[in-house]
Amino acid sequence: MNAADVFARFHKPLQRPLSMATCYDATFASIMDEAGIDVLLVGDSLANTMLGFARTADIGMPEMLHHTKAVRRGAPESCIVADFPFGADTTPELAASNAVLLAQAGADAVKLEGCLPQQVRSIREKGIQVVGHLGLLPQTATSLKQTGRTPEEQARILSEAKAMEEAGCCAIVLEHIPSALGAQATDLLSIPTVGIGAGNGCAGQVLVMHDLLGLGPRQPPFAKRYVNLREQALAALRSYHADVSSRLFPTT
Ligand code: KIV
């Protein structure tokens, strides 16, 4: 699938905003596909959500490849974007060779954090689509606070977004910035923006699966929890434990 064609459908004028959610395994990939989620992101948030690490920088290419393959197996027809883990895109050459590995694992596009136009060009030369990620950058951030509040930060984020577009990105994720800046970036660019805590002026929205399904113990202020699966799973597992302990299950 050509990820650029998928993203291009959601550029101005908006028919409807694009929906993206992080996804890490085959089971949830098939559910997301059935739910009609436009793009599945194998985010490096995998480190925290699924693998129990403290920082996204604690995982590398082996984990990202393993989970990208699983998501592809679960959703053969979906548009899948895979994150570069920390350190996998430090030079244009390294970024290009790792992008090839992620594409071979099943990604339709790769996503990298920060303003790295040379890396984008080098990945595009391999024929692979690239999604940028600006604003709050979890791989290197020292705090998870909103960014882009000062005029200097705003000007920097807008010029980085333009540079990433010119280098060949097909979309840009904007994380935890003021809504007005998200809308400004969306107006400035001719590729779609996908916001996570960047307001409803973006061309699309992305949420971490654990936040939207209520699987994690806590969630960022901008996330919306649509269900509390953690509570539901806990109740089901307690019932199972009680049934087994009291010989109510199995019945024969
Ligand atoms: O890894 C991730 O979950 C992400 C989202 C925050 C967009 O990059």
Side-chain angles (χ1 to χ4, degrees), residues 20 22 24 41-46 48-49 56 64 83 111 113 133 136 138 173-175 194-196 206-209 222:
M20 182 193 275
T22 68
Y24 316 100
L41 169 64
V42 189
D44 64 348
S45 50
L46 163 68
N48 321 108
T49 54
T56 56
M64 291 308 304
D83 252 342
K111 175 167 85 57
E113 282 188 24
H133 182 155
L136 177 67
V173 167
L174 295 171
E175 182 164 357
V194 185
I196 173 159
V206 53
L207 278 180
V208 169
M209 180 183 102
F222 49 77

Side-chain angles (χ1 to χ4, degrees), residues 64-86:
M64 291 308 304
L65 293 172
H66 184 254
H67 286 263
T68 301
K69 287 178 194 165
V71 171
R72 177 51 79 203
R73 281 192 292 272
E77 306 300 329
S78 288
C79 179
I80 296 173
V81 176
D83 252 342
F84 272 104
F86 179 70

Side-chain angles (χ1 to χ4, degrees), residues 78-129:
S78 288
C79 179
I80 296 173
V81 176
D83 252 342
F84 272 104
F86 179 70
D89 53 15
T90 46
T91 65
E93 297 72 29
L94 184 63
S97 59
N98 280 327
V100 169
L101 296 178
L102 289 166
Q104 285 168 347
D108 297 301
V110 294
K111 175 167 85 57
L112 43 77
E113 282 188 24
C115 186
L116 300 169
Q118 285 185 315
Q119 276 78 338
V120 176
R121 286 195 184 90
S122 153
I123 298 166
R124 291 293 300 118
E125 275 168 20
K126 299 279 180 201
I128 298 168
Q129 298 294 336

Side-chain angles (χ1 to χ4, degrees), residues 4-222:
D5 292 344
V6 173
F7 281 107
R9 294 208 307 266
F10 297 95
H11 185 56
K12 303 163 282 192
L14 287 179
Q15 288 190 320
R16 65 166 173 85
L18 166 147
S19 63
M20 182 193 275
T22 68
C23 188
Y24 316 100
D25 70 2
T27 301
F28 276 102
S30 71
I31 297 172
M32 287 191 192
D33 180 39
E34 203 176 323
I37 302 295
D38 294 307
V39 180
L40 278 49
L41 169 64
V42 189
D44 64 348
S45 50
L46 163 68
N48 321 108
T49 54
M50 302 296 286
L51 302 180
F53 289 109
R55 302 166 313 145
T56 56
D58 288 330
I59 59 167
M61 284 297 292
E63 291 87 350
M64 291 308 304
L65 293 172
H66 184 254
H67 286 263
T68 301
K69 287 178 194 165
V71 171
R72 177 51 79 203
R73 281 192 292 272
E77 306 300 329
S78 288
C79 179
I80 296 173
V81 176
D83 252 342
F84 272 104
F86 179 70
D89 53 15
T90 46
T91 65
E93 297 72 29
L94 184 63
S97 59
N98 280 327
V100 169
L101 296 178
L102 289 166
Q104 285 168 347
D108 297 301
V110 294
K111 175 167 85 57
L112 43 77
E113 282 188 24
C115 186
L116 300 169
Q118 285 185 315
Q119 276 78 338
V120 176
R121 286 195 184 90
S122 153
I123 298 166
R124 291 293 300 118
E125 275 168 20
K126 299 279 180 201
I128 298 168
Q129 298 294 336
V130 190
V131 174
H133 182 155
L134 299 170
L136 177 67
L137 306 176
Q139 286 179 358
T140 48
T142 49
S143 128
L144 295 181
K145 278 199 320 230
Q146 190 184 59
T147 183
R149 289 186 177 178
T150 65
E152 294 75 27
E153 281 175 355
Q154 288 165 8
R156 177 181 52 77
I157 290 169
L158 291 175
S159 82
E160 288 179 349
K162 201 66 200 162
M164 290 294 273
E165 173 181 30
E166 283 167 6
C169 282
C170 63
I172 309 249
V173 167
L174 295 171
E175 182 164 357
H176 210 5
I177 58 168
S179 299
L181 182 57
Q184 232 184 317
T186 308
D187 281 345
L188 177 73
L189 301 179
S190 43
I191 52 172
T193 53
V194 185
I196 173 159
N200 64 9
C202 292
Q205 299 294 325
V206 53
L207 278 180
V208 169
M209 180 183 102
H210 284 54
D211 296 336
L212 84 92
L213 296 183
L215 281 164
R218 69 193 88 80
Q219 61 180 55
F222 49 77

